[in-house]
């Protein structure tokens, strides 16, 4: 089995590639190694993968259609897991063009490459951000998601629509996965938990938007990877019960599916900070700020479809996941243990 993992030097892409290699699969990774956050972390991830003889890495951008076609011809992947994207809600306010390039143009190139190569399954990273202004929780894939509150969310919703059109027109099996606040070792420095950790260790205040009154469905990276791998091994198929009279957004008469991957147990942000403080052994200095544009008050995943179809439910408790992240952070950045927190 050969799998093409786009965004292979990214947080989720790295962990997915590592898991596939451990299972004995061949993995081709592509990443442009951009500087959205510190590229040295991306290089460190690749250094973990490089010793495996079944791993091949191509430095390049999914916006380069010719490069993608060349990769497909040379390596002939059976499955493509597309994790390359411009992420981040707040950054989309500053640099909207990057989101159109990667999440729309780049994804169109992925679809075209998969269509012509006749891959058996395309797994595509979407986001819980697509739920936007929805307030009925837990968020279900059967809900309509027509009111994004950030450009990032809008591009992810658009990519799901693009995916469905290709599944319908070319019978290309595609599964979209909506990730909910993924965290863990080798994580993204732009994510709140990573920024909180760095600020607490350095004695700087952490910024808590909406005065910290938020709920987040924090999902540990190993749980996410398990879901991705199980879904990738089960190509999307048409839903025989799907009806245009009462369309289910999560399925289709085409080989297309949508799943949430979340812990399905949202944690208040202030409680999350308290757990992080205990793991670090340091009390945080707190700076309370108003709600930011593009943010939502709560995320909460209904993962019953995932559990039913692939037999897996994310389960790592927040205390366990944060302990593993803090251990990695201390080791990677050479941060010693502080005195016990009073």
């Amino acid at each position: 089995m050969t799998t093409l993992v786009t965004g292979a030097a990214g947080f989720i892409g790295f962990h997915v590639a590592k898991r596939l290699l451990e299972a004995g699969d061949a993995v081709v990774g592509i990443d442009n190694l951009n500087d959205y956050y510190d590229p040295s972390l991306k290089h460190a991830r690749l250094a973990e993968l490089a010793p495996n003889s079944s791993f091949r890495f191509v430095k390049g951008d999914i916006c380069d259609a010719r490069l993608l076609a060349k990769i497909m011809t040379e390596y002939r992947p059976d499955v493509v897991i597309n994790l390359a994207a411009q992420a981040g809600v707040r950054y989309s306010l500053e640099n909207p063009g990057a989101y159109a390039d990667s999440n729309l143009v780049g994804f169109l190139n992925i679809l075209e490459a998969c269509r012509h190569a006749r891959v058996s399954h395309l797994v595509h990273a979407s986001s819980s951000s697509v739920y936007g202004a929805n307030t009925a929780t837990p968020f279900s894939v059967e809900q309509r998601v027509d009111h994004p509150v950030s450009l990032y969310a809008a591009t992810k919703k658009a990519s799901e629509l693009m995916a469905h059109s290709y599944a319908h027109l070319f019978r290309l099996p595609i599964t979209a996965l909506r990730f909910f606040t993924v965290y863990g070792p080798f994580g993204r420095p732009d994510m709140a938990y990573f920024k909180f950790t760095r600020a607490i260790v350095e004695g700087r205040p952490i910024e808590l938007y909406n005065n910290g009154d938020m709920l987040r469905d924090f999902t540990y990276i190993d749980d996410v990877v398990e879901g991705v791998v199980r879904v990738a091994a089960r190509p999307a198929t048409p839903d025989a019960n799907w009806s245009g009279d009462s369309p289910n957004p999560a399925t289709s008469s085409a080989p297309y599916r949508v799943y949430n991957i979340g812990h399905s147990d949202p944690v208040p942000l202030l409680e999350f900070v308290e757990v992080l403080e205990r793991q670090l052994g340091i009390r945080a200095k707190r700076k309370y700020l108003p709600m930011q544009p593009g943010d939502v008050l709560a995320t909460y995943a209904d993962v019953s479809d995932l559990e039913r179809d692939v037999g897996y439910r994310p389960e790592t408790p927040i205390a366990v996941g944060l302990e593993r992240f803090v251990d990695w952070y201390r080791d990677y950045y050479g941060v010693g243990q502080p005195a016990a927190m009073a």
Side-chain angles (χ1 to χ4, degrees):
M1 183 80 146
T2 298
T3 303
L4 171 63
V5 178
T6 72
F11 174 34
I12 301 176
F14 156 69
H15 282 281
V16 168
K18 184 178 179 182
R19 170 65 183 275
L20 292 171
L21 291 167
E22 289 170 350
D25 289 355
V27 175
V28 180
I30 179 173
D31 201 294
N32 64 6
L33 302 175
N34 66 30
D35 60 358
Y36 170 63
Y37 59 78
D38 184 5
S40 68
L41 188 58
K42 301 177 182 181
H43 287 285
R45 294 176 184 137
L46 289 177
E48 293 263 326
L49 301 174
N52 194 307
S53 61
S54 295
F55 180 67
R56 295 289 183 271
F57 178 69
V58 178
K59 182 181 179 181
D61 199 307
I62 61 172
C63 289
D64 186 341
R66 290 184 178 178
L67 176 61
L68 285 177
K70 181 180 177 183
I71 290 172
M72 291 296 191
T73 300
E74 183 173 351
Y75 295 103
R76 299 188 179 280
D78 304 285
V79 173
V80 174
I81 301 178
N82 180 46
L83 299 167
Q86 179 57 60
V89 169
R90 295 188 186 102
Y91 187 61
S92 67
L93 299 173
E94 304 167 17
N95 192 4
Y99 292 77
D101 290 343
S102 183
N103 301 358
L104 300 178
V105 175
F107 184 54
L108 176 61
N109 291 339
I110 292 288
L111 290 168
E112 278 289 283
C114 289
R115 170 170 82 96
H116 290 294
R118 299 182 183 278
V119 300
S120 64
H121 194 194
L122 167 59
V123 179
H124 169 59
S126 186
S127 167
S128 63
S129 295
V130 300
Y131 289 104
N134 291 18
T135 55
T137 56
F139 294 145
S140 167
V141 289
E142 295 184 1
Q143 294 176 13
R144 294 186 60 168
V145 286
D146 298 327
H147 298 88
V149 296
S150 69
L151 180 66
Y152 169 64
T155 61
K156 283 302 185 180
K157 168 65 187 292
S159 70
E160 291 183 5
L161 296 176
M162 293 163 66
H164 182 269
S165 70
Y166 268 66
H168 173 75
L169 291 170
F170 307 112
R171 312 315 287 179
L172 172 65
I174 305 178
T175 301
L177 299 176
R178 294 173 179 169
F179 298 131
F180 282 69
T181 317
V182 187
Y183 74 101
F186 272 109
R188 280 172 35 202
D190 63 312
M191 296 290 284
Y193 71 92
F194 205 118
K195 292 194 291 185
F196 287 173
T197 300
R198 177 165 287 166
I200 292 170
V201 167
E202 295 176 357
R204 296 181 288 105
I206 61 174
E207 296 182 338
L208 297 167
Y209 294 103
N210 200 44
N211 298 312
D213 185 16
M214 288 178 154
L215 280 171
R216 287 292 180 268
D217 200 340
F218 294 99
T219 315
Y220 188 63
I221 183 61
D222 288 358
D223 292 335
V224 168
V225 170
E226 182 69 21
V228 171
V229 170
R230 291 196 183 204
V231 167
R234 187 180 185 275
T237 57
D239 179 0
N241 297 316
W242 192 88
S243 169
D245 291 334
S246 181
N248 178 354
T251 69
S252 175
S253 57
Y256 174 80
R257 287 304 308 262
V258 179
Y259 293 108
N260 289 329
I261 295 189
H263 188 62
S264 197
D265 185 18
V267 178
L269 185 58
L270 294 179
E271 180 181 324
F272 178 87
V273 171
E274 290 171 0
V275 175
L276 183 58
E277 287 175 325
R278 288 196 294 272
Q279 298 298 344
L280 287 167
I282 307 171
R283 291 209 181 276
K285 299 174 182 177
R286 307 182 185 200
K287 182 178 181 180
Y288 295 99
L289 297 170
M291 193 74 165
Q292 292 293 289
D295 271 353
V296 296
L297 289 174
T299 62
Y300 179 2
D302 177 349
V303 296
S304 56
D305 286 2
L306 182 72
E307 185 174 17
R308 180 196 66 215
D309 291 348
V310 302
Y312 188 73
R313 184 180 182 89
E315 56 187 19
T316 306
I318 193 72
V320 173
L322 276 180
E323 181 181 17
R324 293 172 184 168
F325 169 72
V326 168
D327 287 346
W328 169 83
Y329 185 93
R330 290 191 184 284
D331 180 66
Y332 186 81
Y333 289 104
V335 177
Q337 293 281 351
M341 186 174 66

